[in-house]
Amino acid sequence: MQIAPILAALKKHRMATFLIAMEIALACAVLCNALYLVVERVRLSHVETGVDDDRLVAISLAGVDDAQAVDLGPRLRQKLSSIPNVESVAVANATPFGPQAGEAGFRIDPNDPVYRIQAHFYLGDAGFAKTLGLRLVSGRWFTADEYAPVDGFLPKASSLLVDADYASKLWPGQNPLGKPVLVTNLTFRVVGVVARMVRPNPSPFAATNSFITPALAGKGMASVYLLRVAPGKAQDVFARATAMITRDEPSVILDATASGPLTQLRDAYFANTRSMAIMMVGVIAALLLVSALGIVGLASFWVQQRRQQIGIRRAIGATRRDILHYFQIENFLIVGGGIVVGMVLAYVLSAVLMKLYELPLLPAYYLPYGALILWLLGQLAVLGPARRAAAVPPVVATRNA
């Protein structure tokens, strides 16, 4: 079928064609970005932590002041270690899927006057890496003399560990060992790279932006405890630990939302992610439904307006298939024009989201997916009106002229 007659017919309905094309363009822009966010959030819910999730229990306390922290840390660590099936205990400032407690800007270039990068700094004592089950891929672990008391926000240490994926982003193509990391008046050097260490609050676009610094339990670090337990004993150990703290440490308060087996903290953390993904799927469905209804309405109106032309075409030999193909191609052209504009709008919308929420720019490979969905939607939406048009008998169409 020739395209020229279809384009000529569309010129007679410029406004209706323009409105439907712009509706498709807006749908394309929103759809591509929404698909991106949904896919990334679903992918995030399966994030690898780099730690032994099923063998870890987190205990987070509130109401710990500096005066009691010096004694509380060692005392509570000893009591937690005595619980049956506890293999090791570590004191830290945060846990994966718990509240963030070490977010800070830093520099990797001493000549840069601005702290342009944000990351989470885990503070951990000498048992931190062993308790979590971290794996070293290059460099070394901290030595005993590198652990220092927490002074304000960070310990006055000189070394840190970095997640391997994050190191590749900070120093692409370079060996991160020995690289400087500057925070306020402190300068750290990377001494080791761990295979994986998820942030306390992983997002689709920043799952492993984290460092580990050596710190001594006590002042500034006595509120978070990580317990490595025997397989299958996490829930039992957590119950015993909470009972012991309630009985023996009345001056502190257990933070129930940040305490528990790490698998439970993970499930609770991603409950919001799953809810948001479901909500965005609903938005996508509503958007596609509105677009489909617009196409159906316009196509039905045009079928009614063109009954005479359809009858004439049928009378001079056009088959039902020819009429069906006419409306399908017409819809394909309208939707295609909207998609072209929509791809540009998709990047504009992505740039706005990037500026407002620091999200990465929309990857180009989402555009074909959005285009394919809208083209299929358009063909399905126009199929009903097109079949009604193809079913119009030539004699009836002529009599209605």
Side-chain angles (χ1 to χ4, degrees), residues 90-356:
V91 187
N93 69 330
T95 70
F97 312 116
Q100 60 178 0
E103 193 77 10
F106 66 96
R107 296 175 291 163
I108 58 176
D109 182 359
N111 297 319
D112 189 347
V114 181
Y115 294 89
R116 302 179 183 276
I117 312 173
Q118 289 283 121
H120 186 271
F121 286 78
Y122 280 105
L123 312 186
D125 67 0
F128 186 74
K130 176 184 175 181
T131 299
L132 289 176
L134 297 177
R135 184 169 61 89
L136 191 70
V137 295
S138 66
R140 62 173 176 83
W141 296 113
F142 299 129
T143 58
D145 61 335
E146 290 177 316
Y147 290 88
V150 177
D151 184 10
F153 168 65
L154 291 170
K156 289 186 176 180
S158 58
S159 304
L160 53 74
L161 302 174
V162 63
D163 168 83
D165 180 64
Y166 194 39
S168 67
K169 295 177 181 177
L170 293 175
W171 302 284
Q174 303 178 49
N175 184 354
L177 297 179
K179 296 294 186 182
V181 174
L182 295 88
V183 186
T184 61
N185 61 337
L186 301 175
T187 299
F188 298 89
R189 294 280 175 180
V190 176
V191 298
V193 179
V194 296
R196 187 81 171 173
M197 184 59 197
V198 73
R199 291 168 52 89
N201 57 335
S203 73
F205 315 105
T208 59
N209 295 13
S210 62
F211 295 105
I212 303 170
T213 55
L216 293 174
K219 181 181 177 181
M221 198 175 77
S223 299
V224 178
Y225 300 81
L226 284 159
L227 287 63
R228 184 177 183 85
V229 303
K233 300 297 183 180
Q235 193 62 54
D236 177 66
V237 168
F238 177 62
R240 290 173 181 269
T242 54
M244 181 272 292
I245 292 172
T246 302
R247 182 185 66 246
D248 297 346
E249 303 293 342
S251 62
V252 299
I253 302 171
L254 183 72
D255 185 350
T257 61
S259 300
L262 201 64
T263 52
Q264 292 185 11
L265 295 182
R266 179 187 180 117
D267 290 341
Y269 181 84
F270 287 121
N272 291 334
T273 297
R274 289 190 291 270
S275 298
M276 184 169 292
I278 292 172
M279 181 185 68
M280 294 183 69
V281 169
V283 171
I284 292 174
L287 181 67
L288 294 179
L289 177 61
V290 170
S291 300
L293 291 176
I295 293 172
V296 170
L298 181 64
S300 299
F301 174 75
W302 281 353
V303 168
Q304 186 64 31
Q305 292 292 309
R306 296 172 178 175
R307 288 177 62 86
Q308 181 179 6
Q309 292 92 325
I310 295 171
I312 294 174
R313 290 199 60 199
R314 291 296 310 279
I316 61 177
T319 64
R320 290 189 175 190
R321 178 174 295 181
D322 292 333
I323 302 300
L324 185 68
H325 286 175
Y326 177 93
F327 283 95
Q328 288 178 319
I329 294 174
E330 183 179 68
N331 174 268
F332 185 86
L333 294 175
I334 295 173
V335 173
I339 287 173
V340 171
V341 177
M343 288 181 176
V344 177
L345 291 179
Y347 270 105
V348 172
L349 177 59
S350 179
V352 172
L353 293 174
M354 180 175 64
K355 191 171 185 63
L356 292 178

